[in-house]
Amino acid sequence: MNFSDYPILYVDDEQANRVVMKHNLGKEFTLFLAESGSQALEILERENICVLLADQRMPGMTGVDLVERVRLAYPDIIRVIITAYSDLEATIDAINRGQVSRFVKKPWTREELSAILRESIQSFYNAVLVKRLQDRLMSLDRISAVGIMASSIAHDIRQPLTYIEPNLEMMQRDFQALASLGFPERSEPVVQRMAECLSDAFEGVKMLRVLSHTLLESLSNKPISKSMVDLKEIINGVLAITRSTVTRRARLKLEVPEGEIRLLGSSTRLSQLLINLLLNAVQAVEPGEPLKNQIVLRCQIQGGQIVIEVEDSGKGISPENQERIFNPFFTTKGQTGSGLGLTICKQAVQEHDGTIQLFSTLGKGSLFRVVLPWTRHTA
């Protein structure tokens, strides 16, 4: 462990003591110095302090007063009091009010104080690690619960599909039969739109069947089934399902090279990836003015890799949220988001030995870049 990575705040109203502390421990630790409790609180607002080392007897705000306030505002910080007095009342206050970790009596030695600070940093590190593990366990519990619920939903979806799909097939055949008899010329736009809606609905039902099957497979912890697939066919199928949703919010721009783009993968998981990225882009742009918004789906071959990009002209994502955007259940959409869409994207990319990156600027938009290995086999 590099102890200098864990900053320490030393508070003492006497300048000589601060100089001595800096001279003795400044090379081993990262020290911030304050001459009063109020100045210490200002430093705590802007710096990530791990250990507070405070002298007890200071004018205005005593060490006990300071550690009590720090305990309430920054409970993870390890608190240590330095005192030259055998003050039983102050000791009891420090324990009860400030819940200090250690006491250091003056005069202290460099070795003694260095050992106490190392121990305090280790305690801070352990506490943070335990908290992360607890959060991870809670997240896993939620994922498990969601998995059970998703499995049930996927199973239940399959039953209504068993009669929706054949009915749609029958409607398509009947519609084609009617179309062969001819319609009035003025009805042609309506007829064409009805044919497109039927085709899209049928594609959507097929996708639901495949997605429910894939979801049940993924929950069984079995590896995904891969075969040689054409990415352009997958893109066309995804657009058949999402185009109307996208174009209600933004202009859709497609940049795809000519010819087949074949790779070893799962058409279902790649479809899930693209659907989630496109719907995420739709939610990122402002509603109401589709002509001012743009969503780009871009695909290109670079060397031995396939690069897929989904770019939007939306509101962008803050730097602090960018670090968490792929975490399960993290969402910036409030109650309208599940926090699982981008997690599913990341999982699908990893299943194909690829990578996914986010590039975003507040007020300008976001770009998700997926890089997948390109398999050149044709069969």
Side-chain angles (χ1 to χ4, degrees), residues 268-279:
T268 305
R269 294 298 276 161
L270 292 172
S271 296
Q272 282 182 304
L273 166 67
L274 293 175
I275 289 171
N276 277 306
L277 288 178
L278 284 171
L279 294 182

Side-chain angles (χ1 to χ4, degrees), residues 9-44:
L9 174 59
Y10 174 54
V11 190
D12 197 312
D13 62 310
E14 295 186 19
Q15 183 179 5
N17 291 339
R18 298 196 301 274
V19 170
V20 169
M21 182 68 71
K22 187 73 171 178
H23 175 75
N24 279 275
L25 298 174
K27 292 182 179 180
E28 184 179 2
F29 302 100
T30 299
L31 289 176
F32 289 88
L33 306 177
E35 63 182 26
S36 65
S38 58
Q39 188 181 49
L41 293 174
E42 292 175 2
I43 293 173
L44 287 167

Side-chain angles (χ1 to χ4, degrees), residues 226-238 256-268 270-271 274 299 301 306 308 352 372 374-375 377-379:
K226 294 182 182 179
S227 60
M228 292 304 301
V229 296
D230 183 1
L231 185 58
K232 290 184 68 174
E233 287 185 3
I234 294 172
I235 290 173
N236 290 335
V238 167
V256 180
E258 297 291 333
E260 292 184 336
I261 305 175
R262 296 181 66 80
L263 74 155
L264 184 65
S266 164
S267 60
T268 305
L270 292 172
S271 296
L274 293 175
C299 180
I301 306 296
I306 298 172
I308 304 168
H352 289 81
L372 302 175
W374 181 32
T375 308
H377 300 303
T378 58

Side-chain angles (χ1 to χ4, degrees), residues 308-366:
I308 304 168
E309 294 179 340
V310 175
E311 184 176 7
D312 66 70
S313 59
K315 50 185 175 290
I317 302 169
S318 65
E320 57 270 21
N321 286 339
Q322 290 182 37
E323 298 178 1
R324 306 168 60 195
I325 201 72
F326 295 106
N327 292 349
F329 307 111
F330 176 77
T331 179
T332 59
K333 304 181 182 77
Q335 294 184 349
T336 62
S338 67
L340 290 174
L342 291 176
T343 303
I344 292 171
C345 289
K346 184 177 180 179
Q347 181 183 355
V349 170
Q350 290 174 340
E351 289 169 345
H352 289 81
D353 302 318
T355 60
I356 183 168
Q357 291 177 284
L358 165 64
F359 304 90
S360 186
T361 303
L362 279 175
K364 294 186 177 180
S366 302

